[in-house]
Amino acid sequence: MANRRNKRAAISATLTWFTAFVIIFFMMILFLAGVGVLSKQKASSYVSASMAGSKSGALLDQYSEPSGYDSGDLELQRALAAFLNSESEFNGNKRQMKDAISNLGAEVYRKNSVMSASEIKGNPEYNKIYESATTFFDGMSSLYWPDGACYVLCLDFKEKLSTIGYEPMGSQVIVGNKCLYGGKDIYSRGNAYYRCAVSKYGISSKVFNYAYLELFPDENRMVRVRILQGGIKPIVLGGTA
Amino acid sequence: MMNRRGDVAITLLVFMIVVLLGYSLFSFYKGASGVGVEVTDSRFVEGMYLNEGVALFNIESAGEKALVKGYRETLNEGVFRKIGAGTANSEVDGLMRDRVLDALKKEPAVGKYVGAGDNLVVVVNGEDIEIDAKNVILPTITAKGKEEKVVGVGVYEAKPNITMNLREQGLWGFVEIVSVSRECVKDNKDLPGSAEAEIERCVEARITTFDVRVSKEGANFVLNFISKKTFYLDKQFKKVDFAFKVGENGEIA
């Protein structure tokens, strides 16, 4: 009798533990599925490092402008912001450079095209902007590029013709000194922009830094201020490259 | 009895496992939202910082414009009369905050980078103004020849916090303007023949961002303020100017 009773108890206990095992196993499967779903969500928020392209591939910003995207670009962007926030005296009144440039754009928007060389040189505001930009960026260039430097500051005028975005109206070079590379004067040949320099002369992306900032004179217009700065031998830590 | 004890133990075990697994899943879920981005190509990170720099510059510039526009709107609402009538400083701050926020929402740069105005918080505390923007939309970065990837909120979130000061922007706090004007009028009103000039000198010495002209109109002194700084608003360079009357006993008319 005792043996029979023990067997029943053993069967009962085994059945109970078996049920518990099934429940726990089922919970484990649910847990793994849950973790899988969560990890997929997490992975989708990562940005694949491979999208940056190969070593020789250039990154493009939203305007398809190639850029080296290095710390020199950040440095240049900060310098550009400092320049735009700086004040100069225009006819006895202090004005911020970004306001003066926005106002220069008003003439372009009035004409609906960029100014000719003679028109822009005859513009009193332009002369002051030119003078201030030259002083500011000459100083900066000589600091970073002692063996020869160049920079080009240009404005892209854009107009909002639809809700999608801004349409380009034209670009105006504000300041540009000679960009010499391999004996070729890049700026004089009308190639103020990095992409031209790269495609026509095969210049290494390490040579130039590029940055831009935007100004909004009114709700439908945008002026993008771009600067390209570079030289032949940039300063690196411990000496020149 | 033994079987019942066994049931209780197993039930407890199952229950504890359910709690443990539930808690684990919950913590995974919560942790997923705070995970940083792993990017091995530093150029990508630099690119994000550059785009952030553009967005921050624009929001800051928009904030400066909105500050001046909000200041002018607050002036148009007769802020000096309100202060003269005993309106609390916090109410003056609230009035200015609402006007700055309204102006900020209309700025095109804000529309481009911040989107809905709900993402903006403006705090005015006397002469200090703080603008917080969240969910800033950063420009996208694309890889040459690769599929475009949108990098925005959740991956790298820029949270600009811009602090500005009225004096640094070439303006001055309303409460302080009233207080200084009252004191200068009280101290100089009885000077024979030179009261206006002395009040001018007194106010300009303390409110340094404005040129002041004072004239007498009956029993009141009219104080005209013109900002020294020129602001670019509505495609024109303008100075901020306003005037109010101060009675001989310091009442604002």
Side-chain angles (χ1 to χ4, degrees):
Chain A
M1 283 292 284
N3 279 345
R4 272 167 66 186
R5 246 171 61 192
N6 282 346
K7 269 184 187 172
R8 274 183 198 161
I11 290 166
S12 169
T14 308
L15 277 173
T16 311
W17 278 106
F18 181 75
T19 312
F21 170 76
V22 169
I23 292 170
I24 293 167
F25 186 77
F26 183 67
M27 294 300 302
M28 289 286 191
I29 296 292
L30 275 181
F31 176 76
L32 288 175
V35 168
V37 169
L38 285 174
S39 67
K40 263 187 186 174
Q41 279 177 0
K42 204 159 71 174
S44 65
S45 75
Y46 283 142
V47 177
S48 167
S50 66
M51 66 161 287
S54 63
K55 278 182 182 174
S56 58
L59 280 172
L60 308 176
D61 67 12
Q62 63 171 344
Y63 306 106
S64 302
E65 280 293 352
S67 178
Y69 282 138
D70 59 26
S71 56
D73 289 350
L74 275 172
E75 192 82 27
L76 187 59
Q77 190 188 56
R78 286 189 197 110
L80 183 60
F83 169 69
L84 293 175
N85 283 323
S86 66
E87 285 186 341
S88 277
E89 204 157 289
F90 289 78
N91 298 326
N93 289 316
K94 278 197 170 182
R95 290 178 187 174
Q96 277 190 305
M97 207 47 68
K98 59 185 174 189
D99 293 338
I101 289 175
S102 294
N103 198 43
L104 182 71
E107 179 70 9
V108 174
Y109 292 120
R110 191 185 62 74
K111 285 181 57 193
N112 211 25
S113 70
V114 294
M115 288 179 261
S116 67
S118 59
E119 276 176 318
I120 198 162
K121 279 178 184 165
N123 184 304
E125 292 213 318
Y126 164 74
N127 289 322
K128 186 70 195 176
I129 294 167
Y130 177 90
E131 188 186 297
S132 303
T134 307
T135 309
F136 189 95
F137 291 108
D138 272 0
M140 189 188 164
S141 297
S142 60
L143 202 67
Y144 288 97
W145 310 87
D147 294 328
C150 67
Y151 60 89
V152 177
L153 182 69
C154 81
L155 308 177
D156 292 345
F157 298 99
K158 288 165 182 275
E159 199 162 23
K160 200 173 191 177
L161 300 175
S162 66
T163 52
I164 302 166
Y166 292 84
E167 300 292 328
M169 287 177 63
S171 298
Q172 189 96 56
V173 173
I174 291 296
V175 182
N177 59 0
K178 284 188 175 180
C179 288
L180 290 169
Y181 187 79
K184 291 164 184 167
D185 185 348
I186 302 160
Y187 172 65
S188 297
R189 288 171 185 236
N191 296 304
Y193 307 128
Y194 177 94
R195 65 165 169 268
C196 300
V198 170
S199 63
K200 291 208 174 184
Y201 305 112
I203 294 168
S204 158
S205 63
K206 291 287 177 195
V207 177
F208 282 92
N209 288 128
Y210 167 81
Y212 74 91
L213 289 172
E214 294 163 347
L215 305 173
F216 294 85
D218 61 40
E219 62 273 16
N220 291 320
R221 282 143 186 185
M222 180 176 86
V223 181
R224 195 141 58 92
V225 185
R226 298 196 287 171
I227 183 157
L228 169 84
Q229 187 198 45
I232 297 158
K233 288 183 177 177
I235 285 181
V236 292
L237 278 176
T240 52
Chain B
M1 287 295 283
M2 265 175 66
N3 279 347
R4 275 190 188 173
R5 274 184 204 156
D7 288 349
V8 170
I10 292 163
T11 310
L12 273 176
L13 179 70
V14 171
F15 181 72
M16 284 189 292
I17 287 171
V18 168
V19 170
L20 186 68
L21 298 188
Y23 176 73
S24 305
L25 277 176
F26 178 73
S27 53
F28 275 138
Y29 175 73
K30 292 297 285 180
S33 58
V35 173
V37 181
E38 286 179 357
V39 180
T40 53
D41 192 328
S42 65
R43 293 181 307 165
F44 191 88
V45 180
E46 300 290 352
M48 291 306 299
Y49 283 141
L50 279 169
N51 286 342
E52 185 189 22
V54 175
L56 294 188
F57 177 81
N58 282 320
I59 294 167
E60 199 172 318
S61 298
E64 286 173 9
K65 279 188 184 177
L67 179 66
V68 184
K69 286 178 182 173
Y71 191 88
R72 293 175 74 200
E73 286 296 315
T74 312
L75 284 170
N76 291 340
E77 293 198 15
V79 66
F80 295 117
R81 221 170 289 130
K82 287 181 180 172
I83 295 169
T87 302
N89 291 359
S90 58
E91 278 185 51
V92 176
D93 288 349
L95 185 67
M96 173 86 174
R97 181 199 60 221
D98 293 346
R99 296 298 157 264
V100 171
L101 186 60
D102 289 346
L104 195 59
K105 284 178 184 174
K106 289 176 191 162
E107 284 297 319
V110 168
K112 185 177 175 187
Y113 289 104
V114 184
D118 300 343
N119 293 328
L120 289 165
V121 177
V122 176
V123 178
V124 175
N125 184 13
E127 296 191 341
D128 296 317
I129 290 92
E130 192 178 333
I131 296 173
D132 275 308
K134 53 184 178 176
N135 295 341
V136 170
I137 304 153
L138 295 174
T140 59
I141 294 179
T142 62
K144 202 175 186 177
K146 301 259 179 178
E147 186 191 346
E148 183 172 316
K149 303 270 180 183
V150 177
V151 182
V153 179
V155 177
Y156 181 84
E157 192 176 354
K159 289 179 181 172
N161 173 267
I162 296 155
T163 52
M164 291 181 289
N165 181 277
L166 283 177
R167 294 184 195 194
E168 286 168 8
Q169 295 298 319
L171 300 168
W172 209 275
F174 302 115
V175 176
E176 175 94 354
I177 288 174
V178 169
S179 156
V180 168
S181 301
R182 277 174 165 163
E183 283 175 28
C184 288
V185 168
K186 278 181 187 174
D187 292 347
N188 299 289
K189 65 182 178 185
D190 296 326
L191 292 174
S194 62
E196 289 94 328
E198 283 305 311
I199 294 169
E200 265 178 31
R201 188 197 54 74
C202 172
V203 177
E204 280 186 344
R206 293 171 65 182
I207 297 174
T208 52
T209 54
F210 283 88
D211 289 321
V212 184
R213 292 291 165 266
V214 179
S215 57
K216 193 88 192 281
E217 199 179 284
N220 297 323
F221 289 95
V222 182
L223 280 75
N224 282 282
F225 291 77
I226 301 169
S227 67
K228 288 178 180 166
K229 187 175 172 182
T230 313
F231 302 93
Y232 192 65
L233 299 168
D234 307 323
K235 291 178 272 179
Q236 283 180 337
F237 285 100
K238 293 175 184 171
K239 291 189 179 237
V240 172
D241 61 330
F242 54 87
F244 59 92
K245 292 176 187 171
V246 183
E248 290 188 339
N249 295 318
E251 67 274 16
I252 306 296

mmCIF file of all heavy atoms in Angstrom, chain B residues 146-182:
data_model
loop_
_atom_site.group_PDB
_atom_site.id
_atom_site.type_symbol
_atom_site.label_atom_id
_atom_site.label_comp_id
_atom_site.label_asym_id
_atom_site.label_seq_id
_atom_site.Cartn_x
_atom_site.Cartn_y
_atom_site.Cartn_z
ATOM 1 N N LYS B 146 25.600 56.187 -52.343
ATOM 2 C CA LYS B 146 24.862 55.301 -51.435
ATOM 3 C C LYS B 146 23.451 55.827 -51.249
ATOM 4 O O LYS B 146 23.153 56.978 -51.539
ATOM 5 C CB LYS B 146 25.564 55.261 -50.075
ATOM 6 C CG LYS B 146 26.989 54.776 -50.132
ATOM 7 C CD LYS B 146 27.061 53.354 -49.698
ATOM 8 C CE LYS B 146 28.499 52.855 -49.788
ATOM 9 N NZ LYS B 146 28.635 51.502 -49.341
ATOM 10 N N GLU B 147 22.649 54.960 -50.706
ATOM 11 C CA GLU B 147 21.266 55.351 -50.433
ATOM 12 C C GLU B 147 21.257 56.463 -49.385
ATOM 13 O O GLU B 147 22.046 56.456 -48.456
ATOM 14 C CB GLU B 147 20.534 54.130 -49.902
ATOM 15 C CG GLU B 147 19.050 54.337 -49.717
ATOM 16 C CD GLU B 147 18.443 53.177 -48.950
ATOM 17 O OE1 GLU B 147 19.113 52.135 -48.825
ATOM 18 O OE2 GLU B 147 17.325 53.343 -48.473
ATOM 19 N N GLU B 148 20.365 57.415 -49.564
ATOM 20 C CA GLU B 148 20.315 58.530 -48.615
ATOM 21 C C GLU B 148 19.800 58.052 -47.259
ATOM 22 O O GLU B 148 18.871 57.269 -47.176
ATOM 23 C CB GLU B 148 19.387 59.608 -49.162
ATOM 24 C CG GLU B 148 19.341 60.821 -48.271
ATOM 25 C CD GLU B 148 18.573 61.962 -48.902
ATOM 26 O OE1 GLU B 148 18.790 62.215 -50.105
ATOM 27 O OE2 GLU B 148 17.786 62.583 -48.201
ATOM 28 N N LYS B 149 20.430 58.517 -46.252
ATOM 29 C CA LYS B 149 20.005 58.170 -44.894
ATOM 30 C C LYS B 149 19.587 59.451 -44.178
ATOM 31 O O LYS B 149 20.288 60.452 -44.236
ATOM 32 C CB LYS B 149 21.155 57.538 -44.109
ATOM 33 C CG LYS B 149 21.747 56.311 -44.753
ATOM 34 C CD LYS B 149 21.052 55.069 -44.290
ATOM 35 C CE LYS B 149 21.678 53.845 -44.970
ATOM 36 N NZ LYS B 149 21.016 52.618 -44.630
ATOM 37 N N VAL B 150 18.493 59.391 -43.545
ATOM 38 C CA VAL B 150 18.041 60.562 -42.807
ATOM 39 C C VAL B 150 18.538 60.460 -41.371
ATOM 40 O O VAL B 150 18.356 59.450 -40.722
ATOM 41 C CB VAL B 150 16.509 60.668 -42.826
ATOM 42 C CG1 VAL B 150 16.050 61.851 -41.981
ATOM 43 C CG2 VAL B 150 16.030 60.806 -44.245
ATOM 44 N N VAL B 151 19.197 61.476 -40.967
ATOM 45 C CA VAL B 151 19.706 61.506 -39.600
ATOM 46 C C VAL B 151 18.959 62.610 -38.878
ATOM 47 O O VAL B 151 19.036 63.759 -39.253
ATOM 48 C CB VAL B 151 21.212 61.824 -39.588
ATOM 49 C CG1 VAL B 151 21.731 61.806 -38.161
ATOM 50 C CG2 VAL B 151 21.952 60.828 -40.435
ATOM 51 N N GLY B 152 18.218 62.249 -37.917
ATOM 52 C CA GLY B 152 17.424 63.285 -37.264
ATOM 53 C C GLY B 152 17.236 62.992 -35.805
ATOM 54 O O GLY B 152 18.130 62.506 -35.127
ATOM 55 N N VAL B 153 16.074 63.275 -35.365
ATOM 56 C CA VAL B 153 15.749 63.120 -33.956
ATOM 57 C C VAL B 153 15.877 61.655 -33.559
ATOM 58 O O VAL B 153 15.479 60.774 -34.284
ATOM 59 C CB VAL B 153 14.314 63.609 -33.714
ATOM 60 C CG1 VAL B 153 13.932 63.443 -32.260
ATOM 61 C CG2 VAL B 153 14.186 65.047 -34.141
ATOM 62 N N GLY B 154 16.413 61.411 -32.430
ATOM 63 C CA GLY B 154 16.507 60.040 -31.928
ATOM 64 C C GLY B 154 17.885 59.476 -32.151
ATOM 65 O O GLY B 154 18.387 58.719 -31.343
ATOM 66 N N VAL B 155 18.517 59.840 -33.255
ATOM 67 C CA VAL B 155 19.870 59.360 -33.516
ATOM 68 C C VAL B 155 20.877 60.345 -32.929
ATOM 69 O O VAL B 155 21.736 59.998 -32.137
ATOM 70 C CB VAL B 155 20.109 59.195 -35.030
ATOM 71 C CG1 VAL B 155 21.538 58.770 -35.285
ATOM 72 C CG2 VAL B 155 19.146 58.188 -35.594
ATOM 73 N N TYR B 156 20.714 61.585 -33.305
ATOM 74 C CA TYR B 156 21.556 62.630 -32.725
ATOM 75 C C TYR B 156 20.651 63.823 -32.501
ATOM 76 O O TYR B 156 20.220 64.478 -33.440
ATOM 77 C CB TYR B 156 22.706 62.993 -33.663
ATOM 78 C CG TYR B 156 23.600 64.048 -33.074
ATOM 79 C CD1 TYR B 156 24.619 63.692 -32.203
ATOM 80 C CD2 TYR B 156 23.382 65.389 -33.323
ATOM 81 C CE1 TYR B 156 25.403 64.661 -31.611
ATOM 82 C CE2 TYR B 156 24.162 66.358 -32.739
ATOM 83 C CZ TYR B 156 25.172 65.982 -31.891
ATOM 84 O OH TYR B 156 25.948 66.951 -31.300
ATOM 85 N N GLU B 157 20.343 64.065 -31.291
ATOM 86 C CA GLU B 157 19.370 65.112 -31.002
ATOM 87 C C GLU B 157 20.077 66.359 -30.500
ATOM 88 O O GLU B 157 20.769 66.332 -29.490
ATOM 89 C CB GLU B 157 18.373 64.621 -29.964
ATOM 90 C CG GLU B 157 17.181 65.552 -29.832
ATOM 91 C CD GLU B 157 16.145 65.005 -28.874
ATOM 92 O OE1 GLU B 157 16.291 63.866 -28.412
ATOM 93 O OE2 GLU B 157 15.195 65.730 -28.588
ATOM 94 N N ALA B 158 19.920 67.451 -31.251
ATOM 95 C CA ALA B 158 20.484 68.724 -30.818
ATOM 96 C C ALA B 158 19.463 69.412 -29.927
ATOM 97 O O ALA B 158 18.288 69.461 -30.250
ATOM 98 C CB ALA B 158 20.783 69.585 -32.032
ATOM 99 N N LYS B 159 19.896 69.875 -28.786
ATOM 100 C CA LYS B 159 18.989 70.570 -27.874
ATOM 101 C C LYS B 159 19.558 71.949 -27.574
ATOM 102 O O LYS B 159 20.234 72.145 -26.567
ATOM 103 C CB LYS B 159 18.842 69.787 -26.569
ATOM 104 C CG LYS B 159 18.057 68.506 -26.719
ATOM 105 C CD LYS B 159 17.974 67.789 -25.394
ATOM 106 C CE LYS B 159 17.210 66.497 -25.543
ATOM 107 N NZ LYS B 159 17.267 65.676 -24.334
ATOM 108 N N PRO B 160 19.342 72.898 -28.475
ATOM 109 C CA PRO B 160 19.920 74.213 -28.244
ATOM 110 C C PRO B 160 19.314 74.913 -27.032
ATOM 111 O O PRO B 160 18.098 74.867 -26.831
ATOM 112 C CB PRO B 160 19.589 74.979 -29.516
ATOM 113 C CG PRO B 160 18.763 74.114 -30.337
ATOM 114 C CD PRO B 160 18.518 72.830 -29.665
ATOM 115 N N ASN B 161 20.174 75.501 -26.274
ATOM 116 C CA ASN B 161 19.744 76.316 -25.140
ATOM 117 C C ASN B 161 20.419 77.668 -25.323
ATOM 118 O O ASN B 161 21.628 77.782 -25.198
ATOM 119 C CB ASN B 161 20.164 75.645 -23.824
ATOM 120 C CG ASN B 161 19.894 76.543 -22.642
ATOM 121 O OD1 ASN B 161 20.756 77.293 -22.219
ATOM 122 N ND2 ASN B 161 18.702 76.481 -22.114
ATOM 123 N N ILE B 162 19.629 78.650 -25.697
ATOM 124 C CA ILE B 162 20.199 79.956 -26.027
ATOM 125 C C ILE B 162 19.845 80.944 -24.923
ATOM 126 O O ILE B 162 18.669 81.080 -24.563
ATOM 127 C CB ILE B 162 19.651 80.445 -27.378
ATOM 128 C CG1 ILE B 162 20.108 79.482 -28.480
ATOM 129 C CG2 ILE B 162 20.105 81.859 -27.687
ATOM 130 C CD1 ILE B 162 19.209 79.468 -29.668
ATOM 131 N N THR B 163 20.852 81.580 -24.384
ATOM 132 C CA THR B 163 20.583 82.601 -23.373
ATOM 133 C C THR B 163 21.002 83.958 -23.928
ATOM 134 O O THR B 163 22.056 84.083 -24.552
ATOM 135 C CB THR B 163 21.356 82.317 -22.067
ATOM 136 O OG1 THR B 163 22.724 82.125 -22.387
ATOM 137 C CG2 THR B 163 20.835 81.093 -21.353
ATOM 138 N N MET B 164 20.141 84.914 -23.742
ATOM 139 C CA MET B 164 20.417 86.262 -24.239
ATOM 140 C C MET B 164 20.135 87.267 -23.133
ATOM 141 O O MET B 164 19.410 86.955 -22.183
ATOM 142 C CB MET B 164 19.517 86.565 -25.442
ATOM 143 C CG MET B 164 19.870 85.757 -26.666
ATOM 144 S SD MET B 164 18.805 86.172 -28.052
ATOM 145 C CE MET B 164 17.279 85.458 -27.528
ATOM 146 N N ASN B 165 20.699 88.412 -23.302
ATOM 147 C CA ASN B 165 20.494 89.462 -22.319
ATOM 148 C C ASN B 165 20.118 90.746 -23.058
ATOM 149 O O ASN B 165 20.726 91.070 -24.072
ATOM 150 C CB ASN B 165 21.782 89.662 -21.499
ATOM 151 C CG ASN B 165 21.605 90.720 -20.447
ATOM 152 O OD1 ASN B 165 21.729 91.901 -20.715
ATOM 153 N ND2 ASN B 165 21.299 90.296 -19.241
ATOM 154 N N LEU B 166 19.121 91.440 -22.561
ATOM 155 C CA LEU B 166 18.640 92.645 -23.256
ATOM 156 C C LEU B 166 19.756 93.669 -23.443
ATOM 157 O O LEU B 166 19.885 94.263 -24.504
ATOM 158 C CB LEU B 166 17.489 93.271 -22.474
ATOM 159 C CG LEU B 166 16.119 92.577 -22.590
ATOM 160 C CD1 LEU B 166 15.098 93.276 -21.705
ATOM 161 C CD2 LEU B 166 15.618 92.564 -24.023
ATOM 162 N N ARG B 167 20.560 93.863 -22.411
ATOM 163 C CA ARG B 167 21.634 94.867 -22.512
ATOM 164 C C ARG B 167 22.656 94.458 -23.562
ATOM 165 O O ARG B 167 23.126 95.293 -24.342
ATOM 166 C CB ARG B 167 22.334 95.031 -21.166
ATOM 167 C CG ARG B 167 21.418 95.620 -20.126
ATOM 168 C CD ARG B 167 22.128 95.867 -18.832
ATOM 169 N NE ARG B 167 21.157 96.101 -17.766
ATOM 170 C CZ ARG B 167 21.454 96.596 -16.580
ATOM 171 N NH1 ARG B 167 22.691 96.898 -16.284
ATOM 172 N NH2 ARG B 167 20.516 96.763 -15.676
ATOM 173 N N GLU B 168 22.988 93.166 -23.581
ATOM 174 C CA GLU B 168 23.966 92.702 -24.567
ATOM 175 C C GLU B 168 23.430 92.846 -25.990
ATOM 176 O O GLU B 168 24.196 92.952 -26.947
ATOM 177 C CB GLU B 168 24.323 91.237 -24.295
ATOM 178 C CG GLU B 168 25.230 91.066 -23.086
ATOM 179 C CD GLU B 168 25.350 89.627 -22.643
ATOM 180 O OE1 GLU B 168 24.867 88.733 -23.350
ATOM 181 O OE2 GLU B 168 25.914 89.398 -21.549
ATOM 182 N N GLN B 169 22.111 92.806 -26.126
ATOM 183 C CA GLN B 169 21.503 92.951 -27.451
ATOM 184 C C GLN B 169 21.244 94.418 -27.807
ATOM 185 O O GLN B 169 20.625 94.697 -28.836
ATOM 186 C CB GLN B 169 20.173 92.181 -27.501
ATOM 187 C CG GLN B 169 20.314 90.666 -27.358
ATOM 188 C CD GLN B 169 21.116 90.043 -28.470
ATOM 189 O OE1 GLN B 169 20.956 90.414 -29.638
ATOM 190 N NE2 GLN B 169 21.993 89.113 -28.146
ATOM 191 N N GLY B 170 21.668 95.328 -26.953
ATOM 192 C CA GLY B 170 21.500 96.750 -27.250
ATOM 193 C C GLY B 170 20.181 97.313 -26.768
ATOM 194 O O GLY B 170 19.759 98.380 -27.225
ATOM 195 N N LEU B 171 19.501 96.601 -25.859
ATOM 196 C CA LEU B 171 18.227 97.080 -25.314
ATOM 197 C C LEU B 171 18.371 97.212 -23.797
ATOM 198 O O LEU B 171 19.473 97.157 -23.265
ATOM 199 C CB LEU B 171 17.109 96.097 -25.700
ATOM 200 C CG LEU B 171 16.911 95.904 -27.212
ATOM 201 C CD1 LEU B 171 16.015 94.720 -27.498
ATOM 202 C CD2 LEU B 171 16.341 97.168 -27.847
ATOM 203 N N TRP B 172 17.246 97.358 -23.104
ATOM 204 C CA TRP B 172 17.307 97.512 -21.648
ATOM 205 C C TRP B 172 15.979 97.053 -21.050
ATOM 206 O O TRP B 172 14.935 97.164 -21.707
ATOM 207 C CB TRP B 172 17.562 98.983 -21.278
ATOM 208 C CG TRP B 172 18.298 99.161 -19.983
ATOM 209 C CD1 TRP B 172 17.769 99.204 -18.734
ATOM 210 C CD2 TRP B 172 19.718 99.298 -19.816
ATOM 211 N NE1 TRP B 172 18.765 99.361 -17.797
ATOM 212 C CE2 TRP B 172 19.970 99.429 -18.433
ATOM 213 C CE3 TRP B 172 20.805 99.320 -20.696
ATOM 214 C CZ2 TRP B 172 21.258 99.578 -17.909
ATOM 215 C CZ3 TRP B 172 22.082 99.472 -20.168
ATOM 216 C CH2 TRP B 172 22.301 99.604 -18.793
ATOM 217 N N GLY B 173 15.987 96.582 -19.838
ATOM 218 C CA GLY B 173 14.768 96.095 -19.188
ATOM 219 C C GLY B 173 13.771 97.212 -18.913
ATOM 220 O O GLY B 173 14.151 98.311 -18.511
ATOM 221 N N PHE B 174 12.471 96.915 -19.114
ATOM 222 C CA PHE B 174 11.423 97.938 -18.955
ATOM 223 C C PHE B 174 11.340 98.456 -17.515
ATOM 224 O O PHE B 174 11.205 99.652 -17.287
ATOM 225 C CB PHE B 174 10.055 97.343 -19.343
ATOM 226 C CG PHE B 174 10.014 96.812 -20.743
ATOM 227 C CD1 PHE B 174 9.832 95.462 -20.985
ATOM 228 C CD2 PHE B 174 10.147 97.665 -21.829
ATOM 229 C CE1 PHE B 174 9.790 94.971 -22.269
ATOM 230 C CE2 PHE B 174 10.105 97.187 -23.123
ATOM 231 C CZ PHE B 174 9.933 95.826 -23.341
ATOM 232 N N VAL B 175 11.386 97.547 -16.572
ATOM 233 C CA VAL B 175 11.224 97.924 -15.163
ATOM 234 C C VAL B 175 12.353 98.855 -14.734
ATOM 235 O O VAL B 175 12.137 99.871 -14.068
ATOM 236 C CB VAL B 175 11.172 96.659 -14.269
ATOM 237 C CG1 VAL B 175 11.108 97.033 -12.797
ATOM 238 C CG2 VAL B 175 9.967 95.795 -14.650
ATOM 239 N N GLU B 176 13.552 98.521 -15.189
ATOM 240 C CA GLU B 176 14.727 99.341 -14.856
ATOM 241 C C GLU B 176 14.625 100.717 -15.511
ATOM 242 O O GLU B 176 14.985 101.728 -14.900
ATOM 243 C CB GLU B 176 15.987 98.603 -15.332
ATOM 244 C CG GLU B 176 17.272 99.374 -15.160
ATOM 245 C CD GLU B 176 17.990 99.070 -13.855
ATOM 246 O OE1 GLU B 176 17.423 98.344 -13.037
ATOM 247 O OE2 GLU B 176 19.107 99.589 -13.687
ATOM 248 N N ILE B 177 14.125 100.760 -16.747
ATOM 249 C CA ILE B 177 13.979 102.050 -17.447
ATOM 250 C C ILE B 177 13.034 102.958 -16.655
ATOM 251 O O ILE B 177 13.324 104.138 -16.429
ATOM 252 C CB ILE B 177 13.457 101.839 -18.897
ATOM 253 C CG1 ILE B 177 14.560 101.235 -19.766
ATOM 254 C CG2 ILE B 177 12.971 103.153 -19.504
ATOM 255 C CD1 ILE B 177 14.131 100.857 -21.165
ATOM 256 N N VAL B 178 11.916 102.390 -16.210
ATOM 257 C CA VAL B 178 10.947 103.182 -15.437
ATOM 258 C C VAL B 178 11.570 103.639 -14.121
ATOM 259 O O VAL B 178 11.465 104.811 -13.739
ATOM 260 C CB VAL B 178 9.661 102.350 -15.187
ATOM 261 C CG1 VAL B 178 8.765 103.046 -14.164
ATOM 262 C CG2 VAL B 178 8.911 102.148 -16.486
ATOM 263 N N SER B 179 12.233 102.731 -13.450
ATOM 264 C CA SER B 179 12.812 103.039 -12.141
ATOM 265 C C SER B 179 13.871 104.149 -12.256
ATOM 266 O O SER B 179 13.861 105.114 -11.476
ATOM 267 C CB SER B 179 13.398 101.737 -11.570
ATOM 268 O OG SER B 179 14.384 102.005 -10.666
ATOM 269 N N VAL B 180 14.758 104.021 -13.247
ATOM 270 C CA VAL B 180 15.812 105.029 -13.438
ATOM 271 C C VAL B 180 15.197 106.374 -13.829
ATOM 272 O O VAL B 180 15.589 107.433 -13.309
ATOM 273 C CB VAL B 180 16.829 104.547 -14.510
ATOM 274 C CG1 VAL B 180 17.745 105.673 -14.948
ATOM 275 C CG2 VAL B 180 17.640 103.378 -13.987
ATOM 276 N N SER B 181 14.214 106.331 -14.722
ATOM 277 C CA SER B 181 13.581 107.575 -15.182
ATOM 278 C C SER B 181 12.928 108.306 -14.019
ATOM 279 O O SER B 181 13.061 109.530 -13.881
ATOM 280 C CB SER B 181 12.531 107.273 -16.255
ATOM 281 O OG SER B 181 13.141 106.621 -17.334
ATOM 282 N N ARG B 182 12.223 107.558 -13.191
ATOM 283 C CA ARG B 182 11.571 108.172 -12.025
ATOM 284 C C ARG B 182 12.600 108.830 -11.106
ATOM 285 O O ARG B 182 12.436 109.980 -10.688
ATOM 286 C CB ARG B 182 10.838 107.090 -11.220
ATOM 287 C CG ARG B 182 9.463 106.781 -11.776
ATOM 288 C CD ARG B 182 8.866 105.614 -11.026
ATOM 289 N NE ARG B 182 7.452 105.497 -11.257
ATOM 290 C CZ ARG B 182 6.763 104.390 -10.999
ATOM 291 N NH1 ARG B 182 7.364 103.330 -10.509
ATOM 292 N NH2 ARG B 182 5.474 104.360 -11.225
#
